[in-house]
Amino acid sequence: MMSNLFLKPQLHLLPIPSKFIFSHTFNKPSITFSTTASFSYGPSLHKSTNPHHQNDDDVDILNEQTFTRVFNLAALRVPSAECSSLENRLRGHLLNWPRIRNIARVPGDEIDPSIAPLLGQQIHAEDDNKGKSDENGDFLISSSVLYRDKLAKTFNTRGYVNFRNLAKISRPKRNKKNEKEGEFVEVEGNKRVGKNGYVEVEVVEEENGVDEGLRKLIGEEFVNSKWRGSTRLLLLDERYKNCGVEELPEAIKAVLKEYAEKSTTLTFELVRCKLTLFYDYWQMNEILEAMLPEGMIVPTAFETVGHIAHLNLREEHLPYKKLIAKVVLDKNKPKIRTVANKIDSIDNEYRTMQLEVLAGNHSLVTTLTENGLRFHVDLAKVYWNSRLGTERQRLLSGFTRNDVVCDVFSGVGPLAISAAKIVKRVFANDLNPYAVEYLERNSVLNKLERKIKVFNMDGRRFIKAMFASDKAHSITQVVMNLPNDAAEFLDAFRGIYKDRPKDGEFTFPMIHVYGFSKAEDPEFNFHERIRIALLEVAVNVDMRRVRLVAPGKWMLCASFILPKSVAFANTAVDA
Ligand SMILES: C[S@@+](CC[C@H](N)C(=O)[O-])C[C@H]1O[C@@H](n2cnc3c(N)ncnc32)[C@H](O)[C@@H]1O
C-alpha cells in the first residue's frame, strides 16, 4: 500500500523585502527603511520580511529586533526514523544555508515508543535513531505531556492509575549539552516552534485531515496536537517554497515514493513553515553592512589584546562608533569583553595607544598568552602588539642556552621573558616605569624572575652601562625593538670598549635592530640609517622585512655582529 503524500495549497508571495539605511540628522545618524531589495541566494538581511522597526530616537542603542528576518519555506514532514537517510538522499534539494540545520524539530513531532502500538504505527525508539536529527537534541514539552495524559486515561483493573512515577515522567527531559547552548522548543499558543537561540522554525500550514480512528483512540486534544508519531521537518531549498507536491522535482518524488513503498505506515507531508533568523544568527559584517549607509566601508578588522578588541575607525564611522562597537562585542563574545577605538596614532614616548572604550567593560587591564607564557598588560599605560608574536618567535628560534640577551626596549617583556626560558640570562630595560612594573610582575607570573634582571632607564644609557660593566663579556645578543628610533640609538655602541686593553677577551654581540622605512628601497634606506648611527659600514647585515605596517611603510629587522671598529672607536657619544 502507498503511504500518504498530502498536497498543500500554495503560499502567497513574500512582501517586498526591506533594508535599513541611515541618514544624518543634526550630526546624529537616524535610521529609516527603504524598499531596496536584492534577490541573492541564501539568507540575507536585505531579503525577506522584518516584523520590527528601528525607532529613529534610539540611534545610539542597537535594537536587535530590527535584525529579525522571516523567511517562508516549504518542508517535508517525514518519520524521524527515516529522516537521516532521507536527508542524505535529498541533499541537493534541501536548504543549504550557513549555520542552519536542514532538519528541524518542532513540538508535537514526538511520540513515546510505548504508545506507538496503540496508534498502529511503526515507530523506532528515540535512542535507536542515530540520525543527525537527534544531535539537534531539543527537548519536547508536548510529547511528555501527551504521554502523561494518555497514561492518566489508562485505568487499571481497580479503576485508578497505577503509575508511581507520573510526576517524573511529565517532567520534560533536559539535554544538558543543548540546554547550555540555549536550545529549546517552545509551544506558543497552538504554534509549533523549534528554537535554538538564533533560529526558529514554525509550521504555519499543514494538512487538516485527521484519521478518524486516531481521533477516537487518542481523543480530541491529541488530534489538535497533530500527534502522528515521531516526525522531523526536512527543510527544502528556498526555490521550492511555493511549490505544491506536483511541482517538486521528480527526483524528490521518486525518493519519497521509494520510501513509501517500503512501509505501509509511512506518512510524508509537504508543509509550509516560517524560518525566523534573529540578531544572533547574523555575522558581524552582515549586521554592520546593513546598519551603515550604503557605500561606506564596513569596519570588520580589529586587533585583539586579551579580552580587548581595538578598532581603528575612520572619520566617517565615528557617528556610528557605539553601534559598531556593540556589534563587535556581541559577535565576538565571550573572548572579547571590551571594545575600544584607537583615537590617536602612537606617537608618544612610551608607544602607548590612546583608546576610547566604546562597549563592554571599561577595564584596559588584561591577561594574554603568547608562546605558552602569560602576560598582564594595561593597555592604557604600556605597549603591546600581538602582531609581533611571529617575529618574536623567529628571533627566539635563533637563541641558544649559551646566549645572554640584552633587551634594550623590552616593554612588559614578551621577548625578554620568552627568551629567559631558553637562554642563560636576560637583561631587560624600558624607560616606561609602568612597563617595568609589568615586566617584573610577568617575570614572577611565569616563574622566570631568577633569570631576568630588570632596568628602568633610557636605552642609550642602558647600552653604555651594560657594556661598561663586567657583564659585557657575557652578552651575546642585543635586541632593539623601538622601530621609530632604535637605529639612532646604535651610536651608543661607539667606543664601548675603547678604554679596555685591546688584547683582552671580548664578545661582539649580535645586534637585532628594528626600524620603519617608507623608502622605495627600504633595505637600502635602513642600512643607511644604521651606517650613519655607527659612523661605520656594518658588514654582513641580515636584513629582513617584518611586516607592512601601513601602505608603503615597512617594518624591518637588521641583524649584524657589532663591528670591532665601532666598539673600539675613540669618538664615543655622550649619554
Ligand atoms: C615598540 S615598544 C616594544 C616593546 C617590546 N619590545 C614589545 O615587543 O612589546 C618600545 C618600547 O620602548 C620603550 N622606550 C621608548 N623610548 C625609550 C628609551 N629612550 N629608552 C628605553 N626604552 C624606551 C617604550 O616604553 C616601549 O615599551
Side-chain angles (χ1 to χ4, degrees), residues 68 82 90 146 215 251 254 275 390 466 511:
T68 300
E82 309 296 339
L90 298 175
L146 290 171
R215 186 192 297 277
L275 182 93
T390 319
M466 292 306 294
I511 299 173

Side-chain angles (χ1 to χ4, degrees), residues 493-505:
F493 287 98
R494 278 192 68 80
I496 50 168
Y497 293 152
K498 76 174 169 25
D499 297 329
R500 304 211 182 191
K502 286 221 168 46
D503 54 357
E505 270 204 13

